[in-house]
Amino acid sequence: MLVIQPVHPYTIKLESWLRQYADPVKAVAMQAYMRDQFAFLGIKSPDRVALAKQFWKENGVPDGNELSVVVKELWRLPEREYQYIAMAMLEKQRKRRERADIELLEEIIVEKSWWDTVDFVASQLVGFHFTLFPDLVAAYAERWISSGHMWLQRTAILFQLGYKQRTDTELLFDYIRRMAGEKDFFIRKAIGWALREYSKTNEEAVREFVATSNQLSPLSIKEALKHINAQSSKCE
């Protein structure tokens, strides 16, 4: 995605307003933490959240197509804080989004991809969107898991993180079986994370799945059983 200067008045105002709080010293450390993949303004998370709330109080939060335009413009800005604020706005308005907004979510998964954005989009935005439009799961999650695109595959594995009793266990286990042989760290970690989270709802199902899945990596198994093992230790 090219860096393109925003043209929407809301984005222009937000960019200019937030940039005045930049801290170049902090930006160096924040960029290093993200392996120098993205530039940063140098605004720490608590400060960014507070500043965003202040801006929204004074300027509101866009919705509908206006929000989609603003999100895309924020995503094209080089500094990572703008992407974080874009995600926060999408979360605030997620109950008001339209079916077709899954296309925007897919776009921000594959553009400037890293765990700090993808995991939030997967669990907080895509997962919620699929509860509003459940028929989209078959159309999108299935395509993502088969796509060969690691971040889309990670999203397909993680979107049910907050579902608890509503988890489609068969779907979750099917996606994990299909990805179990992958060597990529982020896929192996996602498998373990998804299983660990689901173990808080259905421990026996996860125990059985791990015991009978001979392709799971040691990393995935370790992550999957963390909660179960921690609970067992407490009972000893």
Side-chain angles (χ1 to χ4, degrees):
M1 182 182 286
L2 295 175
V3 177
I4 300 175
Q5 290 302 311
V7 296
H8 193 286
Y10 187 97
T11 319
I12 294 171
K13 187 173 184 179
L14 174 57
E15 179 196 11
S16 176
W17 185 81
L18 195 64
R19 197 173 292 280
Q20 68 181 315
Y21 297 99
D23 185 329
V25 175
K26 291 180 181 177
V28 172
M30 293 170 73
Q31 184 170 326
Y33 179 71
M34 286 295 171
R35 301 183 183 179
D36 295 314
Q37 297 204 59
F38 310 103
F40 280 83
L41 293 173
I43 304 173
K44 294 287 189 177
S45 181
D47 296 328
R48 185 189 73 248
V49 171
L51 288 170
K53 288 181 179 179
Q54 181 182 340
F55 186 86
W56 294 333
K57 183 178 180 180
E58 298 173 2
N59 299 277
V61 180
D63 194 15
N65 184 64
E66 184 182 20
L67 176 57
S68 297
V69 171
V70 169
V71 166
K72 289 181 180 181
E73 290 191 341
L74 290 173
W75 220 263
R76 292 187 177 101
L77 292 172
E79 292 86 3
R80 200 60 162 166
E81 287 90 343
Y82 293 117
Q83 283 93 69
Y84 296 154
I85 288 182
M87 293 190 300
M89 287 195 295
L90 285 170
E91 184 183 29
K92 286 181 71 68
Q93 302 287 33
R94 65 182 186 173
K95 293 181 180 179
R96 300 164 61 88
R97 304 303 284 160
E98 300 294 332
R99 175 188 179 86
D101 290 321
I102 189 64
E103 296 288 340
L104 173 62
L105 297 180
E106 183 178 82
E107 181 178 340
I108 64 176
I109 291 168
V110 300
E111 297 291 346
K112 298 189 176 180
S113 307
W114 197 241
W115 62 264
D116 59 329
T117 55
V118 172
D119 292 357
F120 184 92
V121 174
S123 62
Q124 302 301 317
L125 301 179
V126 170
F128 187 85
H129 202 73
F130 282 162
T131 65
L132 296 180
F133 308 100
D135 60 301
L136 292 177
V137 175
Y140 283 85
E142 176 60 32
R143 175 161 59 80
W144 294 346
I145 202 70
S146 304
S147 66
H149 189 290
M150 186 266 289
W151 295 110
L152 289 174
Q153 291 170 324
R154 184 172 166 98
T155 299
I157 293 169
L158 295 179
F159 80 84
Q160 296 192 82
L161 275 180
Y163 280 21
K164 299 182 180 179
Q165 290 86 357
R166 296 179 293 118
T167 300
D168 185 334
T169 309
E170 183 178 347
L171 182 71
L172 175 64
F173 287 173
D174 175 51
Y175 284 179
I176 290 174
R177 288 190 191 97
R178 289 159 65 177
M179 301 302 299
E182 289 294 317
K183 304 298 183 184
D184 188 276
F185 168 83
F186 287 104
I187 294 298
R188 292 183 172 192
K189 190 79 169 181
I191 289 171
W193 184 12
L195 289 173
R196 182 177 76 247
E197 196 62 28
Y198 187 51
S199 75
K200 300 173 185 177
T201 298
N202 193 336
E203 178 179 322
E204 288 306 312
V206 173
R207 280 185 182 274
E208 181 179 356
F209 181 79
V210 171
T212 57
S213 300
N214 55 18
Q215 283 192 306
L216 289 178
S217 69
L219 173 61
S220 296
I221 294 172
K222 178 182 177 182
E223 292 294 323
L225 298 179
K226 269 186 178 179
H227 177 74
I228 293 174
N229 291 337
Q231 292 300 110
S232 297
S233 298
K234 290 179 182 179
C235 296
E236 291 178 357

